[in-house]
Amino acid sequence: MTETLYPDWLDGHAVEDAAMGAAYEDMGAGGRAVLKTCIARLHLFWGEREAFRTTTRTFRQGFCARVEEEPASFALFVCPGEYPHPAPFLAALLPALLAGVDAILPVFVSPFAKDGASFGPVSPALLAALELAGIERAFVLDDKSTAALAEDLGGNRPGGRLVLLGAPSCREGLVLKALELTLPCLSLPHPPVYFNERLGKPVEHCFVPASFFGTEAPAAGKEQPFSGGQERLQAALCLDGAHEGSWVWPELGPDFFRVRRVRIFSGLGTGGEPA
């Protein structure tokens, strides 16, 4: 991410590199292994998108449609600094990376954020997750500065995306601002709940250390008995005992972070170009 991709004033609110590094070390090898597995699963599940894609469809009725697709100009992620779900946090960020977005800006909202002062509480697990994902910059802002950033990016960089995780105090204002700017926005305000096949019931996702996965964990690829019936069938996400540290947002994949343009035209000339 280059300096020109965001306003200069944002530098004063960046999380220090030392804090990111310390969070990574403090998590320990076991915790890092859990999040690395989550990242690996997300890479395989969603797949990496091309830098640019053009497809042309020719219809029997004598017309064609050409679709051009490229990464969003930026992806702004906003969540409370104390958001306690590092794997769901990663599961929101990774689709933007896989979509090819260069300008990824994670913002942690804190009422104590200001230039030159110690930042408000930011979960070390979230900072470690950023390090593991290869995202080098994150910012801590108050409500007013977060709204100013969204307006600056949304007003000056068409084709961006906004994702809200948890319930940051400025959430309602940001959603309204996104509507005003026609900035595509996805809000995920509720705690991430999934159907736990090991327990046979819905539970809220929590950070699970690698030491949790002992000899009793189900073997990969082996179907295990479960209970839950209708609750399991209605759940958007089900995880077995070997994947309780992972997460995927079924409604938030790389396609959300891609910009598309469509041209509909009549006929094709020789060589497949528009007549």
Side-chain angles (χ1 to χ4, degrees):
M1 184 163 35
T2 65
E3 295 296 322
T4 59
L5 292 176
Y6 53 85
D8 292 340
W9 59 263
L10 198 56
D11 282 329
H13 299 271
V15 177
E16 294 181 356
D17 292 342
M20 302 271 283
Y24 177 88
E25 292 298 330
D26 290 346
M27 174 169 281
R32 293 195 296 268
V34 172
L35 294 185
K36 286 179 180 178
T37 298
C38 179
I39 291 171
R41 294 291 187 266
L42 289 164
H43 269 272
L44 293 171
F45 182 80
W46 291 121
E48 187 173 326
R49 301 299 190 264
E50 306 92 337
F52 187 82
R53 175 192 288 182
T54 300
T55 56
T56 301
R57 301 170 62 192
T58 303
F59 296 87
R60 292 190 301 271
Q61 292 79 4
F63 72 96
C64 302
R66 175 167 296 168
V67 180
E68 295 181 346
E69 181 181 307
E70 62 185 355
S73 60
F74 69 87
L76 175 60
F77 296 87
V78 178
C79 76
E82 66 275 13
Y83 188 68
H85 309 292
F89 179 66
L90 273 174
L93 294 169
L94 259 292
L97 284 170
L98 293 170
V101 180
D102 288 328
I104 295 179
L105 293 91
V107 168
F108 302 112
V109 179
S110 168
F112 307 107
K114 55 185 177 181
D115 290 352
S118 59
F119 293 127
V122 177
S123 167
L126 298 182
L127 299 181
L130 290 174
E131 284 279 296
L132 288 166
I135 298 174
E136 299 178 350
R137 304 214 72 186
F139 308 91
V140 183
L141 302 177
D142 59 17
D143 290 355
K144 183 178 179 180
S145 296
T146 303
L149 177 61
E151 184 165 12
D152 181 280
L153 293 172
N156 297 314
R157 302 184 183 280
R161 299 292 186 265
L162 171 63
V163 176
L164 307 176
L165 288 161
S169 48
C170 55
R171 179 169 60 92
E172 292 184 3
L174 286 178
V175 171
L176 292 175
K177 179 58 66 176
L179 290 172
E180 177 186 326
L181 297 170
T182 63
L183 172 63
C185 171
L186 180 63
S187 179
L188 300 166
H190 302 297
V193 173
Y194 70 100
F195 186 88
N196 184 307
E197 293 191 351
R198 178 178 59 86
L199 299 176
K201 64 180 181 179
V203 298
E204 181 175 336
H205 196 276
C206 63
F207 183 60
V208 183
S211 58
F212 172 86
F213 302 113
T215 56
E216 297 180 0
K222 181 179 179 182
E223 186 173 351
Q224 300 293 319
F226 56 83
S227 59
Q230 194 65 24
E231 285 183 318
R232 177 185 179 276
L233 294 175
Q234 293 176 347
L237 179 64
C238 299
L239 298 173
D240 71 4
H243 292 89
E244 292 174 22
S246 296
W247 188 266
V248 61
W249 296 104
E251 67 273 42
L252 182 59
D255 285 348
F256 178 74
F257 299 98
R258 302 282 284 183
V259 176
R260 297 168 189 82
R261 289 175 290 275
V262 178
R263 179 181 178 228
I264 298 177
F265 55 94
S266 299
L268 285 176
T270 59
E273 292 302 315

